[in-house]
Amino acid sequence: QVQLVESGGGLVQAGGSLKLSCVASGRTFSNYHTGWFRQAPGKEREFVAAIRRSGDTTNYADSVKGRFIVSRDNAKNTVYLQMNSLKPEDTAVYYCALTPYYRTSYFHPNEYEYWGQGTQVTVSS
């Protein structure tokens, strides 16, 4: 089992930036691929970004492409989500999640086995 702790959320004005961190426990973190998802109240959880366990492949939702950057440091058991040019529609609870495989359905939350507690990101107009 891998346990995840997320941090870095907060309140920011439109156009600003935040950097989220997801720290995983255990010594097998490098065995897992990581996804970032977000969920606004009353809405379905949606895919944001994913990164392979090696860190050499990333994927982004069209809504964040060019604005967000996902990266990882396996030595620190940490995955990051750098969020730039934030928009009010980015407001949501952001979750990191782990999966042992990276399939073409990596964007679907059902692909992921482990989830963090989420961190709130609020972007004001």
Side-chain angles (χ1 to χ4, degrees):
Q1 293 184 334
V2 178
Q3 298 179 15
L4 307 174
V5 179
E6 302 172 355
S7 62
L11 175 64
V12 65
Q13 293 185 19
S17 298
L18 285 173
K19 188 173 185 178
L20 307 183
S21 298
C22 173
V23 181
S25 65
R27 297 178 61 84
T28 59
F29 174 69
S30 61
N31 291 340
Y32 294 93
H33 314 288
T34 304
W36 285 96
F37 292 80
R38 65 188 183 187
Q39 188 168 24
K43 296 185 178 180
E44 295 183 343
R45 190 165 299 186
E46 66 174 352
F47 170 76
V48 176
I51 184 168
R52 292 189 71 93
R53 58 191 179 191
S54 62
D56 60 359
T57 302
T58 58
N59 295 95
Y60 299 92
D62 288 342
S63 59
V64 306
K65 193 172 298 181
R67 299 189 296 121
F68 292 9
I69 301 171
V70 62
S71 61
R72 69 189 299 155
D73 186 341
N74 287 343
K76 296 181 178 179
N77 288 348
T78 303
V79 175
Y80 305 97
L81 184 67
Q82 177 66 51
M83 310 165 66
N84 301 314
S85 301
L86 284 162
K87 305 174 181 179
E89 51 263 44
D90 294 320
T91 295
V93 176
Y94 283 71
Y95 300 88
C96 65
L98 303 185
T99 178
Y101 44 83
Y102 203 100
R103 306 195 297 184
T104 55
S105 54
Y106 61 83
F107 56 87
H108 201 290
N110 287 351
E111 291 287 310
Y112 294 83
E113 179 69 19
Y114 303 104
W115 292 83
Q117 81 287 352
T119 185
Q120 177 71 48
V121 172
T122 303
V123 184
S124 62
S125 301

